[in-house]
């Protein structure tokens, strides 16, 4: 296998395009009306594009087998930064309505900072608090964007600073 | 099956809190959800009214846009929020009289809401291309009869009020027209000016610039009475289709089980707001008719409209293909 | 002569005490929200709308317009410094601007962007003043068939954006087109590829896509290894562009301004295409196209000017036809209506002080922006010397709040995270994301106009060749395609020769 693929980056990119293309074309075909070229249905455009993408993916993959297109290997995939950065973003999204931006924001800064190898808790806590207060001041108190600030508890919602 | 139970529980909960709530409301920020994007007519009007309401209620009234899926995302959010009076929705005919009949929605337009106050109506104006040899509703209908399906009409999408109004027009006139949907009515103006599209029911305010510039002809308005904004235009009903009427109501609703004192308070304050001379002038300028009145009359309007549009949707077979 | 009189009236309005103050507040706010990644002018203008109710209409509109073009300036700063496009048009600025920043030339890139934008802003303001009504007629001439052909031309131009494999760039465009199709199909009303999620019925916003693929993807990539992490070269060479830089940029700025001004007039996606086509043009006519994508100063100057010119001329369809060309313009219509002004050509005659005051304020605002931005460049460049471990959590929190505030939906935050992962995979597989973004924006418009054109022509595809505008654009697209393919084919041949040697 290794010997066959001369350009692994292209090869896997090609596979990715084939999978995504087939997915779109398949869903379009299965769920929506096709119509004709003169009177296209909702499936027509995505089906054609999906097919085209799969075809291009195939060509890319096949070309990557040729010696002429030799290229470097796919670099190592680092899961840790992906996990911390994306995980903390998702957590922020999910908890924003419940915890409010002040808490969720500090959480976001702290957790995402774990993705870096030079994590210092004290620094990050200070940074997190500073940034969330800055954001609250600019976006909520300044511009009046409707972003929940405090945890969704009735008593807290009546505090003036928590008000949108 | 779960839904009625949920609504019941919510109502019981609301009743339990009632005495405390009625006295203290509003103790904090009141949020009005606008289920449409920022900058649209509903949004602009709601922001204007929210400003007035907040001075009268003595608490901030903020507007939050929750656009998406024809307004149903924002409406659903309110349907599922606590009936404490702090979350209201500026609903329109699209979220409550049309949307529920187009496809399955996660909320029931009647059971999941408490009508609070009917704010007003928006009227549409029928504009036609200069390239069309017609100058009145009658001539337009005659032209459409001669050549079924040849005349195109623009709308702001399948199942929107502009679409259903045109369908109502076609069915009452007994003519066949071809539907050309756009993302918004204004996007169709170049094609109407060039004569590729024959007609459009457009918001009376947004249609003005191109009517005044002579790029399109306005021939009638869709409401049952003439508009002070364009008194020279007849209604469609006067001009050849007796009984034709299509206006878009909009008003404030809360979740089901909203305590009566809160409903009454908001209703009273909104009626006061609507009576202010500058608010009256603004409404007239923007081409909106004022409504007001008590919650019960609002509920009636909603029901009447729902019956009307669900019939149009059924008769015309309007649904996503 | 009349023009001079009108401009005189305009300047007397724009320079009047309070108006100049509101103009300044507007551009300052605009710069601020433009620089902060994520938060855009739409949310800001919507929130500030009620506070303008108490102002006289002229001051209100001057301030709101100031926020809009101030955000354009600020947005390019973020694009250059941290590779984060605030909106589609600054994606192009990222390409070479960020590379320049990495080479220690951030100051030059920022300076050229500011000066180019100012020049473009001045020219297009003059264009609005002199020719707004006849230019509006151009927008009316474009029908669905013409828009479709314009999109085709734009997509072919997108291929040129890539500096790697041609075929992968095309695949990325198509992927972008497909992602753009998620959501309700305008022509049939069917919600496509939403997997039952109501949040996806209106499609995926540009915010989560741009922020995720570019911003989050870049952050993860930078965190990969401590040793190899992207540290900007400390030896900053020349804070501001010198005369030779400026001389080098004059022709690109002129070309960018011309292209941007023209495309900005078209209400459907024209402004987006401005920056892209300006970049494409520069890369095509450059003596050494390989410099592009690696920090070519023309690659910043041209699209930045085009971007700003288009932002300015997109007021033309608004002021004269009442057609909004983007969400900000839709908000401006809302602002006018709430102040009792009907947008349309009658503004010029009915409210000349408002119309000319606004036009003049645009120039004043642009001047303020240059004065405001040039001294700030030093500060921005210093920001880059902050340790990355402190910088990236800050970028993340701004992005998250920004993405949320677009439509107050937490779903968008999750979508952006998913796009971040996609961006990382693309990087690993050498797939450039900028063509994807253009495909994403143009895809829905392309399909919509194609189907609408066929609906109007009753299914006759000949309409694309019989309409003169459409035919011209398609011929141009074909020519461009040949131009794009030719070097690739030549290169292949050269490589073959090398190997045989």
């Amino acid at each position: 296998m290794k010997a066959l693929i001369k350009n692994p980056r292209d090869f896997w990119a090609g596979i990715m395009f084939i999978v995504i293309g087939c997915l779109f074309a398949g869903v379009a075909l299965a769920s929506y009306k096709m119509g004709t070229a003169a009177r296209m249905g909702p499936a027509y455009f995505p089906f054609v594009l999906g097919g085209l993408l799969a075809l291009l993916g195939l060509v890319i993959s096949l070309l990557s087998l040729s010696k002429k297109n030799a290229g470097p290997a796919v670099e190592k995939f680092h899961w840790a930064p992906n996990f911390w950065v994306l995980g903390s973003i998702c957590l922020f999204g999910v908890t924003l309505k419940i915890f409010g931006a002040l808490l969720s924001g500090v959480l976001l800064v702290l957790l995402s900072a774990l993705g870096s190898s030079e994590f210092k808790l004290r620094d990050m806590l200070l940074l997190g608090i500073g940034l969330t207060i800055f954001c609250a001041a600019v976006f909520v108190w300044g511009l009046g964007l409707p972003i929940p600030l405090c945890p969704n508890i009735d008593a807290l919602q009546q505090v003036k600073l928590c008000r949108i | 099956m779960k839904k009625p139970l949920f609504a019941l529980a919510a109502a019981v909960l609301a009743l339990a809190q009632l005495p405390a709530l009625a006295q203290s409301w509003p103790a904090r920020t009141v949020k009005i959800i606008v289920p449409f994007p920022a900058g649209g007519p509903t949004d602009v009007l709601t922001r204007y009214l929210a400003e007035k309401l907040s001075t009268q209620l003595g608490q901030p009234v903020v507007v939050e846009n929750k656009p998406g899926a024809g307004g149903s995302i924002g409406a659903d959010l309110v349907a599922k929020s606590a009936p404490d009076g702090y979350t209201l929705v500026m609903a329109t005919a699209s979220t409550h009289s049309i949307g529920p009949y187009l496809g399955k929605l996660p909320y029931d337009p009647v059971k999941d809401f408490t009508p609070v106050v009917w704010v007003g109506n928006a009227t549409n104006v029928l504009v036609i291309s200069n390239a069309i040899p017609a100058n009145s509703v009658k001539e337009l209908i005659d032209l459409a009869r001669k050549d079924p399906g040849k005349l195109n009409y623009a709308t702001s999408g399948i199942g929107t009020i502009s679409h259903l109004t045109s369908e109502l027009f076609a069915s009452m006139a007994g003519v066949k027209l071809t539907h050309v949907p756009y993302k918004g009515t204004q996007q169709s103006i170049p094609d109407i000016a060039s004569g590729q599209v024959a007609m459009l029911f457009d918001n009376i305010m947004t249609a003005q610039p191109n009517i005044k510039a002579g790029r399109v002809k306005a021939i009638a308005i869709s409401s049952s009475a003439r508009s002070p904004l364009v008194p020279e235009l007849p209604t469609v009903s006067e001009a050849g289709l007796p009984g034709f009427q299509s206006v878009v109501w909009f008003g404030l609703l809360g979740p089901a089980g909203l305590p009566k004192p809160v409903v009454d308070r908001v209703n009273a304050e909104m009626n006061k707001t609507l009576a202010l001379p500058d608010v009256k002038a603004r409404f007239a300028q923007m081409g909106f008719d004022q409504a007001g009145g008590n919650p019960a009359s609002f509920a009636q309007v909603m029901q009447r409209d729902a019956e009307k549009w669900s019939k149009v949707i059924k008769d015309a077979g309007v649904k996503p293909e | 002569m009349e023009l001079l009189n009108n401009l005189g009236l305009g300047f007397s309005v724009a320079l009047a005490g309070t108006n100049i103050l509101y103009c300044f507040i507007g551009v300052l706010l605009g710069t601020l929200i433009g620089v902060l990644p994520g938060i855009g002018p739409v949310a800001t203008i919507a929130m500030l709308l009620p506070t303008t109710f108490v102002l006289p209409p002229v001051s209100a509109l001057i301030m709101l317009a100031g926020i809009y073009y101030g955000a354009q300036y600020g947005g390019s700063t973020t694009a250059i410094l941290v590779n984060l496009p605030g909106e589609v048009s600054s994606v192009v600025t990222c390409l070479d601007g960020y590379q320049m920043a990495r080479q220690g030339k951030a100051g030059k890139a920022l300076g050229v962007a500011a000066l180019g934008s100012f020049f473009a802003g001045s020219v297009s303001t003059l264009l609005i003043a002199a020719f707004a009504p006849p230019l509006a007629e151009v927008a009316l001439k474009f029908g669905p068939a013409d828009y479709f052909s314009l999109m085709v031309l734009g997509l072919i131009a997108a291929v040129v954006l890539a500096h790697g494999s041609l075929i992968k760039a095309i695949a990325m465009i198509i992927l972008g087109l497909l992602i753009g199709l998620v959501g309700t199909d305008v022509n049939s009303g069917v919600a496509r590829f939403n997997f039952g999620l109501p949040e996806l019925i209106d499609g995926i916003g540009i915010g989560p896509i741009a922020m995720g693929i570019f911003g989050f993807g870049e952050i993860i990539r930078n965190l990969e290894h401590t040793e190899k992490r992207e540290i900007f070269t400390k030896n900053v060479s020349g804070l501001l562009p010198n005369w030779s830089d400026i001389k080098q940029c004059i022709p690109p700025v002129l070309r960018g301004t011309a292209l941007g001004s023209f495309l900005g007039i078209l209400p459907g996606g024209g402004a987006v295409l401005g920056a892209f086509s300006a970049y494409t043009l520069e890369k095509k006519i450059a003596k050494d196209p390989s410099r592009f994508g690696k920090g070519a100063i023309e690659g910043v100057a041209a699209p930045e000017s085009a971007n700003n010119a288009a932002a300015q001329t997109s007021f033309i369809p608004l002021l004269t036809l009442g057609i909004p060309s983007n969400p900000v313009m839709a908000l401006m219509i809302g602002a006018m209506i709430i102040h009792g002004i009907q947008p349309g050509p009658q503004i010029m005659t009915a409210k000349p002080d408002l119309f000319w005051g606004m036009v003049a304020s645009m120039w004043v605002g642009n001047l303020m922006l240059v004065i405001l931005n040039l001294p700030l460049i030093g500060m921005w460049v210093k920001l880059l010397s902050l340790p990355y471990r402190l910088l990236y959590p800050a970028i993340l929190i701004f992005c998250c709040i920004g993405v949320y505030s677009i439509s107050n939906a937490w779903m968008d935050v999750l979508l952006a995270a998913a796009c971040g992962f996609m961006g990382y995979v693309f990087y690993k597989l050498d797939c450039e994301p900028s063509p994807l973004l253009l495909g994403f924006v143009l895809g829905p418009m392309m399909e919509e106009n194609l189907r609408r054109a066929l609906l109007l022509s009753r299914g006759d595809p000949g309409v694309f060749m019989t309409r003169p505008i459409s035919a011209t654009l398609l011929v141009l697209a074909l020519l461009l395609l040949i131009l794009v393919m030719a070097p690739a084919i030549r290169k292949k041949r050269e490589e073959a020769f090398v190997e045989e040697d």
Side-chain angles (χ1 to χ4, degrees):
Chain A
M1 189 77 178
K2 274 250 164 73
L4 209 66
I5 303 165
K6 301 295 184 306
N7 189 334
R9 291 186 189 181
D10 277 11
F11 180 78
W12 290 111
I15 299 290
M16 174 181 78
F17 291 133
I18 294 174
V19 171
I20 299 177
C22 288
L23 215 72
F24 269 100
V27 172
L29 199 60
S31 327
Y32 316 116
K33 258 197 204 154
M34 192 53 106
T36 60
R39 225 190 140 84
M40 296 177 191
Y44 198 93
F45 212 63
F47 179 76
V48 170
L49 285 180
L52 205 60
L53 184 64
L55 202 72
L56 279 175
L58 191 68
V59 174
I60 294 170
S61 288
L62 286 178
L63 283 177
S64 77
L65 302 180
S66 146
K67 232 179 50 227
K68 267 186 219 152
N69 299 313
V74 180
E75 270 180 61
K76 191 170 164 266
F77 209 90
H78 293 256
W79 289 103
N82 264 299
F83 175 78
W84 289 114
V85 171
L86 300 179
S88 63
I89 295 168
C90 290
L91 195 72
F92 177 85
V94 175
T95 59
L96 183 64
K97 278 267 149 111
I98 308 156
F99 293 175
L102 291 177
L103 268 179
S104 295
V106 176
L107 219 58
L108 169 70
V109 171
L110 272 184
L111 289 180
S112 68
L114 285 171
S116 157
S117 49
E118 315 153 77
F119 179 78
K120 287 194 197 99
L121 183 65
R122 201 184 56 104
D123 286 11
M124 284 305 148
L125 209 57
L126 284 178
L127 181 73
I129 293 171
L131 279 173
T132 35
I133 290 179
F134 176 79
C135 286
V138 172
F139 299 130
V140 182
W141 302 324
L143 290 175
L145 294 185
I147 299 167
L149 275 186
C150 300
N152 194 9
I153 303 167
D154 219 46
L156 276 173
Q157 290 299 321
Q158 303 197 9
V159 177
K160 189 127 200 180
L161 274 183
C162 293
R163 273 182 200 158
I164 298 161
Chain B
M1 273 289 100
K2 257 184 184 160
K3 235 191 206 154
L5 260 178
F6 176 79
L8 192 74
V12 169
L13 221 80
L15 276 174
Q17 292 179 327
L18 196 99
L21 205 95
Q23 278 154 21
S24 57
W25 192 91
R28 56 179 163 101
T29 307
V30 178
K31 195 158 69 179
I32 299 180
I33 303 278
V34 169
F36 301 102
T42 320
D43 175 66
V44 171
L45 192 79
T46 311
R47 283 178 196 280
Y48 180 71
L49 292 171
E51 187 85 353
K52 301 268 169 200
L53 274 181
S54 78
T55 45
Q56 291 181 14
L57 290 173
Q59 286 285 353
V61 178
V62 298
V63 172
E64 185 175 326
N65 300 95
K66 272 277 176 191
S72 64
I73 290 182
D76 185 44
L77 188 96
V78 176
K80 300 220 171 14
S81 61
D84 53 11
Y86 295 110
T87 314
L88 303 170
V89 59
M90 185 59 91
T92 71
S94 3
T95 56
H96 281 72
S97 307
I98 297 172
Y101 305 98
L102 279 174
K104 239 179 77 113
L105 284 185
Y107 57 85
D108 183 304
V110 180
K111 285 191 195 121
D112 290 345
F113 294 91
T114 310
V116 178
V117 62
W118 178 20
V119 176
N121 279 337
T123 300
N124 282 322
V125 57
L126 172 57
V127 296
I128 58 174
S129 171
N130 288 332
I132 299 295
N135 287 307
S136 70
V137 174
K138 273 217 173 72
E139 289 172 25
L140 182 70
I141 294 173
D142 288 343
L143 205 66
R145 274 214 187 100
K146 250 187 263 161
D147 223 337
K150 186 170 174 270
L151 291 188
N152 300 321
Y153 65 93
T155 71
S156 50
I158 309 263
T160 55
I161 193 81
S162 59
H163 180 199
L164 298 184
T165 305
S166 307
E167 285 289 353
L168 184 67
F169 181 88
S171 83
M172 285 183 74
V175 294
K176 200 175 167 312
L177 303 166
T178 304
H179 182 201
V180 184
Y182 287 78
K183 273 217 171 110
T185 49
Q186 285 136 312
Q187 269 70 33
S188 68
I189 293 295
D191 295 342
I192 296 175
S194 71
Q196 295 194 72
V197 172
M199 58 181 274
L200 161 76
F201 277 98
D202 195 5
N203 178 283
I204 199 163
M205 181 73 203
T206 48
Q208 288 305 309
N210 294 297
I211 296 171
K212 288 213 171 127
R215 285 190 199 95
V216 296
K217 297 184 272 199
I219 55 172
I221 60 167
S222 66
S223 54
S224 49
R226 292 193 180 211
S227 159
L229 201 66
V230 275
E232 70 281 4
L233 282 186
T235 64
V236 175
S237 178
E238 288 171 42
L241 276 186
F244 178 93
Q245 188 232 17
S246 156
V247 289
V248 189
W249 61 262
F250 50 93
L252 281 178
L253 297 173
L258 200 62
K260 191 163 181 306
V262 174
V263 174
D264 290 344
R265 177 85 196 275
V266 179
N267 185 284
E269 298 298 347
M270 183 59 89
N271 275 309
K272 255 189 247 167
T273 306
L274 290 176
L276 295 174
D278 57 326
V279 176
K280 278 202 154 124
R282 243 336 105 82
F283 266 65
Q285 238 167 21
M286 293 173 69
F288 289 121
D289 302 323
Q290 282 197 336
N294 59 27
S297 64
F298 182 27
Q300 272 173 10
V301 169
M302 283 172 65
Q303 204 204 337
R304 223 178 31 223
D305 236 42
E307 278 163 15
K308 171 181 181 166
W309 292 124
S310 62
K311 188 174 177 298
V312 173
I313 289 168
K314 222 174 80 198
D315 291 354
V318 177
K319 60 171 190 304
E321 273 165 42
Chain C
M1 215 61 253
E2 202 197 335
L3 179 66
L4 280 184
N5 281 340
N6 286 332
L7 281 177
L9 170 70
F11 276 104
S12 70
V13 174
L15 293 176
T18 48
N19 287 342
I20 197 164
L21 180 72
Y22 284 115
C23 184
F24 180 72
I25 296 174
V27 296
L28 191 68
L29 254 173
T31 310
L32 177 73
I33 55 148
V35 168
L36 291 176
I39 188 105
V42 179
T44 314
I45 295 180
M47 292 311 131
L48 288 177
L49 208 52
T51 57
T52 66
F53 293 163
V54 290
L55 302 179
V58 188
S59 312
L61 289 170
I62 283 178
M63 186 172 98
L64 296 178
I67 295 175
Y68 175 54
Y69 51 76
Q72 302 275 339
Y73 266 74
S76 40
T77 310
T78 324
I80 291 170
L81 294 181
V82 286
N83 197 26
L84 242 178
E87 51 190 305
V88 203
S89 42
S90 42
V91 168
V92 199
T93 314
C94 285
L95 293 176
D96 280 273
Y98 183 58
Q99 294 305 325
M100 283 182 77
R102 284 170 64 175
Q103 294 158 14
K105 290 190 272 187
K108 280 189 187 198
L110 290 170
V112 159
L115 292 174
S117 298
F118 174 65
F119 176 80
S122 309
V123 171
S124 46
T125 303
L126 210 63
L127 268 179
I128 298 180
F131 306 112
L135 284 177
E137 298 303 319
V138 175
L140 282 180
K141 291 277 177 300
F142 269 68
D146 310 317
Y147 275 114
F148 171 75
S149 304
L150 181 69
M151 302 298 148
V152 173
L153 180 62
L155 286 181
I156 290 175
V159 176
V160 187
L161 290 173
H163 48 266
S165 152
L166 197 66
I167 182 161
K168 269 159 110 179
I170 298 172
M172 287 299 270
I173 293 177
I174 296 178
L175 183 55
L177 288 169
L178 280 168
I179 298 175
L181 296 184
V182 173
T184 302
D185 166 34
V186 176
N187 284 282
S188 65
V190 173
R192 291 183 294 191
F193 307 111
N194 69 329
F195 308 107
L197 294 172
E199 285 85 358
L200 290 182
I201 285 181
D202 286 338
I204 303 172
I206 184 73
I209 294 260
M211 222 74 76
I213 292 183
F214 283 81
F216 298 166
E218 173 78 14
I219 286 175
I220 298 169
R221 180 180 143 183
N222 281 342
L223 288 177
E224 259 181 13
H225 347 248
T226 334
E227 340 71 77
K228 247 184 80 184
R229 205 179 55 216
E230 213 56 75
I231 300 279
F232 295 88
T233 21
K234 289 277 187 258
N235 50 347
V236 176
S237 62
L239 209 52
L240 291 179
N242 55 30
W243 178 236
S244 82
D245 293 329
I246 291 176
K247 224 161 55 185
Q248 196 183 352
C249 285
I250 289 175
V253 165
L254 287 176
R255 287 188 288 260
T257 306
L259 260 175
S261 304
F262 174 71
L263 288 168
I265 300 164
L266 303 174
V272 179
L273 284 175
F276 280 92
S277 38
Y279 186 85
T280 307
L281 182 69
E282 289 311 313
K283 193 173 171 183
K284 270 293 122 197
I285 60 176
K287 282 201 196 89
D288 177 15
S290 66
R291 287 192 304 119
F292 281 76
K294 293 175 191 150
I297 198 162
E298 303 96 305
V300 176
E304 269 304 306
S305 335
N307 188 356
N308 220 50
Q312 222 81 263
T313 50
S314 59
F315 277 93
I316 292 179
L318 171 79
L319 288 170
T320 55
L321 303 174
I323 302 176
S325 47
N326 57 42
V328 178
M329 292 299 130
L331 265 172
M332 293 293 289
I333 290 194
M336 286 188 177
I337 291 176
I338 201 88
H339 280 287
I341 301 157
Q342 283 176 9
Q346 73 281 1
I347 294 182
M348 268 181 255
T349 43
K351 298 206 185 271
D353 56 327
L354 178 103
F355 180 85
W356 295 105
M358 234 175 110
V359 170
S361 87
M362 287 182 195
W363 189 82
V364 175
N366 271 294
L367 185 68
M368 282 183 191
L369 279 167
V370 169
I371 299 173
L372 198 70
N373 274 279
L374 286 181
L376 279 180
I377 288 176
M379 199 188 93
W380 297 132
V381 174
K382 277 214 192 73
L383 201 69
L384 288 180
S385 53
L386 266 179
Y388 197 69
R389 68 191 176 90
L390 298 180
L391 194 59
Y392 83 86
I395 299 175
L396 281 184
I397 192 167
F398 290 133
C399 283
C400 283
I401 291 183
V403 168
Y404 174 81
S405 71
I406 296 170
S407 40
N408 301 313
W410 57 273
M411 190 69 185
D412 283 351
V413 182
L414 300 197
L415 263 175
C419 290
F421 184 70
M422 247 165 62
Y424 182 72
V425 174
F426 290 155
Y427 163 69
K428 285 286 168 196
L429 298 177
D430 267 348
C431 295
E432 280 178 77
S434 40
L436 176 136
L437 210 58
L438 193 60
F440 171 76
V441 176
L442 299 186
M445 286 195 266
M446 185 167 157
E447 186 200 11
E448 194 188 317
N449 282 299
L450 169 66
R451 285 165 64 184
R452 187 176 298 140
L454 288 172
L455 189 63
L456 289 176
S457 73
R458 304 286 185 260
D460 172 21
V463 67
F464 297 105
M465 292 318 291
T466 48
R467 284 183 64 98
I469 299 176
S470 166
T472 315
L473 289 169
L474 283 180
V475 169
L476 274 176
L478 192 70
L479 285 177
L480 187 63
L481 193 67
I482 296 170
L483 257 161
V484 171
M485 299 305 268
I489 295 165
R490 208 184 309 133
K491 212 168 113 201
K492 272 266 134 51
R493 234 184 263 135
E494 278 163 19
E495 275 166 10
F497 273 122
V498 176
E499 250 170 60
E500 276 162 29
D501 285 341

